[in-house]
Structure formats: C-alpha cells, structure tokens
Amino acid sequence: MNINKLAKSTAIAAVLAVNATLGMADTLRWASKTDPDTMDPHAGSSAPVLSFLNNVYEGLVRRGRDMSIEPSLATSWEPLTGDNGWRFTLREGVVFQDGAKFDAEDVLFSYNRASDEASDVRSWFAPVKEVRLVDEYTVDFVTKVPNPLFPDSIANFMILDKGWAERNGAELPARDAENFATMNVNGTGPFKLESRDPGIKTVLVPNASWWGDVEHNITEAVFTPIGNSATGLAALLSGEIDFIQPIPLQDIAQVESRDSFRVLEGEETRVIMFGFGHEHEELLYSSDVDGSNPFQDVRVRQAAAHAIDIASIDRVLFRGKIDGASQLVPAGISGYSDANSTRPAYDPDRAKALLVEAGYPNGFSFGLKCPNDRYINDEALCRAAASMFAAVGLNAELSTGPVRDYWPQLREDDFDMYLLGWSPGTFDMEHPIRFLMSTPNSEKKLGSWNFGGYSNQRVDELLPSIQQEIDPATRQSMIDEVVAITQAEVAYIPLYTQPLIWASKDNINLTQRADNFFMLRWVTIN
C-alpha cells in the first residue's frame, strides 16, 4: 500500500454516500465470516468485536469516514497545563440506552475496567499514570511522559455505564469466560442490541435516544456470520442478504457481471504475518526435534522468511491485489520506515543453506496454527505457505480452525508458528511496536498481542522515546532503528497488506473504511 492507495481507500467513504437520501427506511441484512465472540468491548480487541460494537458503544473520540479523529462522548480535548497528558471535556445531555445519565464517573469506571489485567485492551493504557475527575464533565488522563498520540490511541475505547455494570455483576470484563456484558449491551451509540444468538444471528435497532445526527435510514440491522465463502456469496446473489464482507477475490467478476450488485475494493491497513514462539524452549508439534526450539536461532527464522514466495501467493490466491510487506504497517502509515522497505527475497537455496548453517541439514517438522474464518484466504494462504516451507525442509503440521478457538490457543502458547493480521489502531508505527514488539509485561501493559514473547532490550528502550518525541525526523530515526532490529532478528515474517473486497446490492449506500470497520450510522437503503 502506498500513500496514494491509502488515500484512495480511506476516501471511498465520501464517494459512496453522496447519492444517499434519508427516504424510505428498511431492514439491512449483512454478513461476515467472523461472529464477534463477545458483546463486551473490554473483553476482546479483535477487529470483528470492535467493529461491531462501535455501532452500539461509544468512546471519547471516534474515527470519521476518512479515518480522522473527531469528537464523540468528548466534545474537545487539549494537552494538560503543568502536567503530562490530556484533558477531555465531556458531552452533556447524553444518556445510555437504559436512560441512565453519562458523566465522568462512567469514564473513570470504564478506564479502570479496560486497564485491568482481565481486559484484552489494557495495552491501550500503558502510557497512563492516573485518571482524575475534575468535575462531572471533565476528565484528565495523566500520562507518564508527553504523549501526543494518546487521543488517537483510544478511538476504540468504549464507555460502559458504571451503575449498569455494577448491578449486573460485570465490574470486570470476562475475557476467557462469560458475564452479563458478554451477551448484553447498554451503550450510548446510534444502535442498540435487540437480540443475540451467538454464531447464528444478532439484531440491532436504532437507538431513539442517541445524541448524534441520524444519517442512516435503517429500521433494523440483522447480522449473520457465514464462515463459508461460497455460501455467503450465494446468499448475497439470491437476495437473502444485502451486503457481505469480504468475498473471495475469484468471485469479483461474477458479482460485477450481475445486475443490481456491486463490488467495493480498497486496501486495508492490516498487515498479515507469521509469528514464532520465540520464548518456547521446545517445539510442541515436532516429530523429529525433541527438547529444543530451532526457531530460537535467527538463521532458522531467516530460512523461513526466504522460503515464502509472495509473488506466487499474489498470483494464485489474490489475483494481483496484494502488496508484499516489509514491516508491520503498510506504506502510507505514519512512521513507516522507508529506510527498511525491502522484504526478504524469495530464495529457497539461501533458505536451505541457512538451515545447514544452523545444524538442520535435513530440516525438521513443526506446528503451524492458522484461523480459517478470520482473514481473506487465511486457510489457503497457510496451506500454500506450508508447501513453500516444505520445499526447503521446514515441514509444517498445519492446524486450522475458527477464530473463536484460535485466540485462546495463542494466549495459551499452543503453537510453534502462527498467523496474525494487525491493523494499527493509531495509524502509526508506535502501535505495533507497543502491542507486538515490546517484551510482554503485564504491569506495564505492554506486548499484549506479542504471543511468541519476542524480546529486545533496545526496542523496549526506544518505545517510550518514540511515544513522546514530537520532532518528526528524530522520531522517525528511532522507528527506523526499531524496524531494522526486528527485521534483522526476524521477529515476524510480514507477508502482505490485506485487500478490502466487499460486495452489496447496488441500492445499499455505505462507507468502506481502511480499518475494515462497518459503521451502520452511514448506511442508507434506496
């Protein structure tokens, strides 16, 4: 993804909604591969959860059609005077869907809840030292050091009603279990939860008490997860659903050839990558290596990187629609390292030589874990990669399954190598450094998605400076150093930027954002 492509992708919003009118309202029926596995915005930080819940919960700030930060439950924010951090002025007159008043107590409660060890989003608050209530509608987020990115970093921090959560025993999120907030919702957003049948159907209806300007004309929104791509496409073309995200790339021509349907194409800000069990002392799924982990040798990780033929993956699986990635954000994102823009060359001979140097002339077997319902062509990608690995002597035992089972497996260190996609919530390289490259540290709320336990002292030292540096050149030089370190150590194998391929009936006007979030508040049906 280059800057022009990113601009095109994020600007699609302005084009698609131009002809919409708030005329006759109707039911919207939409589908996606992955069902959100919780209704609790602090119990899951995956895009399917955050995208869905942004329709019913709200934060202090939000992202607009062009991905820029704009006011939501806060009307304004400004740097603190005499301290590090930010002061947020809250919107008055807002009520939750049950009629309870929104105020600063709900912000403090939600911060404490979201930053707790039980939360899946606690890394968002690693820079925060304390939160102070100034008055009923003013809140200070005090940071440990100056943090110019902080407002951008909390665009998906959603606010719960303190009283509702306490009355229903949901004071803390239930990340690996369930509580009342897992299945029930009480937000301030434009839609509210009408019914929830996990894995089958979830129904949203407009929130009549919403404070914002209504731009949609939906009376009901019915979401159905459809894991099988062929089934999903058939449902669209038969009229059972109105919109689906994504569709297989090979089906684009079929949709475009049909009257009354259209395809929406763009590029997501998500980089797909392979990760390693860096801290694992031995492989879990090897039939010929016992008591050690060859992936702890950088030469073995380099061999794996040189085994991947991105050009063939692009041609066979993605029909020329992906850009190979050299780092954990695509080109065009703030902090992208132009100085380190070259990805490892496809070189199977070099891969074999590196394995010989590392003491594995005959290669070895290992386990590769992948989801089959999270990313575009995820299972097919892993099967192709397994074949490429095998060609150099890295014999992958591939295991695939639904994402509802996949995330717990990664959290439990049940892998040798795994597939991950990452979209930076701040649209800045600092985000994956904090979440994916920092040494996991529960106390500091760092590295919460660094499943393999990658650790480099210099990267850890540089992160606080990157977070507070305001001089662009100085900051970029530090980011360049981090990218150079993580590339040399093959912390991950970045593969490509994921394409956005949506399809809908042509009477549906919607916004395709570059983060792959689907916002119902911008949908109209002609």
Side-chain angles (χ1 to χ4, degrees):
M1 174 185 287
N2 58 35
I3 294 176
N4 291 332
K5 286 183 178 180
L6 176 60
K8 178 181 178 181
S9 180
T10 56
I12 287 177
V15 177
L16 295 178
V18 165
N19 296 322
T21 58
L22 298 179
M24 183 182 298
D26 208 342
T27 295
L28 176 77
R29 300 159 298 172
W30 98 96
S32 185
K33 292 180 65 176
T34 307
D35 192 47
D37 55 11
T38 181
M39 293 289 100
D40 187 331
H42 306 150
S45 59
S46 66
V49 171
L50 298 179
S51 172
F52 190 91
L53 292 182
N54 260 282
N55 290 296
V56 292
Y57 282 110
E58 294 178 301
L60 299 177
V61 299
R62 68 187 184 190
R63 293 199 181 276
R65 286 185 167 99
D66 63 354
M67 301 307 302
S68 62
I69 290 293
E70 61 185 29
S72 185
L73 293 181
T75 57
S76 63
W77 50 95
E78 60 186 3
L80 289 176
T81 301
D83 211 339
N84 298 320
W86 293 82
R87 170 164 292 181
F88 291 85
T89 301
L90 306 184
R91 189 179 300 276
E92 299 185 31
V94 174
V95 296
F96 289 91
Q97 291 158 12
D98 66 353
K101 182 181 72 171
F102 160 75
D103 60 24
E105 289 284 352
D106 300 306
V107 177
L108 177 60
F109 169 79
S110 296
Y111 161 74
N112 288 331
R113 189 178 192 272
S115 60
D116 189 86
E117 287 190 10
S119 170
D120 202 38
V121 301
R122 65 192 311 262
S123 286
W124 294 346
F125 302 101
V128 178
K129 182 169 66 175
E130 65 172 320
V131 175
R132 299 189 296 233
L133 303 189
V134 179
D135 56 40
E136 191 176 14
Y137 291 102
T138 309
V139 180
D140 288 350
F141 280 76
V142 182
T143 55
K144 300 166 187 173
V145 296
N147 194 302
L149 287 175
F150 183 71
D152 290 73
S153 74
I154 58 169
N156 291 314
F157 166 45
M158 298 178 222
I159 308 300
L160 273 68
D161 173 40
K162 179 177 184 288
W164 176 83
E166 292 176 340
R167 285 192 303 274
N168 292 291
E171 293 93 336
L172 294 177
R175 187 177 66 184
D176 300 315
E178 289 189 4
N179 63 19
F180 189 78
T182 306
M183 289 285 292
N184 298 277
V185 169
N186 182 36
T188 61
F191 287 82
K192 59 184 181 180
L193 185 66
E194 178 78 3
S195 64
R196 168 77 170 155
D197 190 357
I200 306 298
K201 182 174 72 172
T202 304
V203 180
L204 302 179
V205 295
N207 175 17
S209 62
W210 187 47
W211 57 268
D213 295 329
V214 176
E215 299 179 58
H216 68 84
N217 65 350
I218 301 172
T219 55
E220 180 185 55
V222 180
F223 172 74
T224 304
I226 304 178
N228 183 280
S229 297
T231 302
L233 182 64
L236 176 69
L237 297 180
S238 68
E240 295 176 42
I241 60 174
D242 304 305
F243 162 67
I244 188 168
Q245 60 174 147
I247 63 167
L249 283 82
Q250 62 267 25
D251 293 327
I252 291 175
Q254 182 181 358
V255 175
E256 291 180 333
S257 69
R258 299 283 293 270
D259 291 338
S260 303
F261 294 93
R262 65 176 175 179
V263 174
L264 298 84
E265 294 189 52
E267 282 191 295
E268 194 177 355
T269 52
R270 184 176 307 280
V271 169
I272 306 297
M273 69 194 79
F274 283 125
F276 303 94
H278 290 275
E279 65 181 356
H280 297 180
E281 292 303 319
E282 59 183 357
L283 295 177
L284 300 179
Y285 296 96
S286 180
S287 60
D288 48 25
V289 174
D290 186 29
S292 65
N293 177 10
F295 288 120
Q296 290 187 331
D297 189 322
V298 67
R299 294 169 295 185
V300 175
R301 301 196 298 272
Q302 289 171 341
H306 284 301
I308 297 295
D309 183 357
I310 285 294
S312 292
I313 290 173
D314 186 22
R315 183 178 67 256
V316 176
L317 297 182
F318 292 94
R319 308 203 171 202
K321 294 188 179 293
I322 62 172
D323 288 332
S326 63
Q327 49 204 275
L328 304 193
V329 297
I333 291 291
S334 174
Y336 177 83
S337 180
D338 288 314
N340 297 282
S341 61
T342 302
R343 58 168 288 102
Y346 169 55
D347 190 343
D349 291 335
R350 178 61 179 151
K352 293 174 184 177
L354 284 164
L355 290 177
V356 171
E357 290 177 22
Y360 302 97
N362 299 316
F364 60 90
S365 62
F366 66 98
L368 173 61
K369 291 284 183 78
C370 297
N372 60 14
D373 64 352
R374 176 62 189 94
Y375 312 114
I376 295 177
N377 289 339
D378 44 13
E379 182 171 358
L381 163 67
C382 287
R383 293 194 182 281
S387 178
M388 294 171 184
F389 288 144
V392 303
L394 297 171
N395 300 305
E397 177 186 319
L398 178 61
S399 173
T400 66
V403 76
R404 66 176 179 271
D405 300 325
Y406 186 65
W407 297 138
Q409 289 174 351
L410 297 192
R411 292 191 186 103
E412 293 164 6
D413 287 337
D414 186 14
F415 61 85
D416 294 327
M417 184 189 293
Y418 63 93
L419 184 73
L420 182 67
W422 194 259
S423 179
T426 57
F427 283 68
D428 187 277
M429 176 62 94
E430 178 273 341
H431 194 267
I433 296 174
R434 175 162 37 115
F435 280 86
L436 303 182
M437 303 179 197
S438 294
T439 302
N441 187 311
S442 179
E443 182 179 346
K444 294 182 178 180
K445 305 172 187 175
L446 296 173
S448 57
W449 281 67
N450 181 359
F451 297 115
Y454 170 75
S455 180
N456 180 282
Q457 183 178 353
R458 179 58 177 162
V459 171
D460 293 343
E461 290 172 352
L462 285 169
L463 176 60
S465 299
I466 290 169
Q467 290 174 325
Q468 63 184 296
E469 180 58 59
I470 61 174
D471 178 70
T474 302
R475 185 175 191 270
Q476 189 62 55
S477 68
M478 292 187 288
I479 292 176
D480 289 345
E481 183 178 352
V482 168
V483 175
I485 290 170
T486 54
Q487 284 182 340
E489 295 188 340
V490 196
Y492 296 86
I493 303 177
L495 299 173
Y496 55 84
T497 303
Q498 178 163 268
L500 285 175
I501 310 292
W502 298 2
S504 74
K505 294 178 180 177
D506 64 6
N507 68 324
I508 307 297
N509 299 278
L510 51 83
T511 294
Q512 185 183 62
R513 283 197 339 196
D515 59 358
N516 201 24
F517 280 24
F518 177 50
M519 299 291 99
L520 290 169
R521 71 178 185 269
W522 296 320
V523 175
T524 58
I525 305 173
N526 293 338

